[in-house]
Amino acid sequence: MNVRPLLVVNTLVVAAMAAVSAWGWQSIPDGATVPMNIGLDGNAYRHTDKEFYLYLMPAVGLGLTLMFAILPFLDPRRQNLAASGRFWNAAGMFSVGFLAYVHVLLVWAAAGNPIDLTSALVPGLSALFIGLGNYMSKTR
């Protein structure tokens, strides 16, 4: 199975997440907290330090990328997964892309910019489901 497109695209997305983190490092005041869990009502239920968060999200994106790249080679039924390789790559790309979108929203909000996070997540979730749904018919 060819995971090269997944690696190329997700490397660029994780690099963009790191750039957003670098921007957030300058824009978010020292000692400020970043929302981690946000409920449907738009309220943040868990906060963390900016340092932890700004390192965490690109690291999670990198971890997801590595997981999607390595798991096909560990699967005992490789031929079945290889038949659905396009969907596997798309799932990896859309997952990390959605994570990057959420990262941008949370860093933007933590920098003091007003944003309705509940409404802002709808386009990202829509793109995730549309993208995955487009490739779902191509699975084996």
Side-chain angles (χ1 to χ4, degrees), residues 7 12 15 27 32 34 38 48 56 62-64 66 70 78 82 90 92 94 110 113 126:
L7 291 173
L12 294 173
S27 301
V34 180
I38 298 170
T48 187
L56 175 70
L62 182 64
L64 273 174
L66 292 175
I70 292 171
R78 264 183 223 124
F94 279 109
N113 300 305
S126 299

Side-chain angles (χ1 to χ4, degrees), residues 28-110:
I28 300 172
D30 290 335
T33 59
V34 180
M36 287 289 287
N37 293 7
I38 298 170
L40 292 176
D41 57 357
N43 293 326
Y45 293 105
R46 182 173 173 231
H47 291 81
T48 187
D49 298 330
K50 84 170 189 177
E51 293 84 8
F52 178 74
Y53 177 78
L54 293 176
Y55 287 125
L56 175 70
M57 294 302 274
V60 170
L62 182 64
L64 273 174
T65 299
L66 292 175
M67 182 193 76
F68 273 99
I70 292 171
L71 282 180
F73 300 105
L74 300 177
D75 185 18
R77 296 180 157 185
R78 264 183 223 124
Q79 67 277 5
N80 291 344
L81 190 56
S84 301
R86 292 181 68 201
F87 173 73
W88 183 261
N89 285 338
M93 289 178 205
F94 279 109
S95 297
V96 174
F98 178 70
L99 183 70
Y101 179 71
V102 171
H103 180 59
V104 168
L105 291 177
L106 291 178
V107 170
W108 183 259

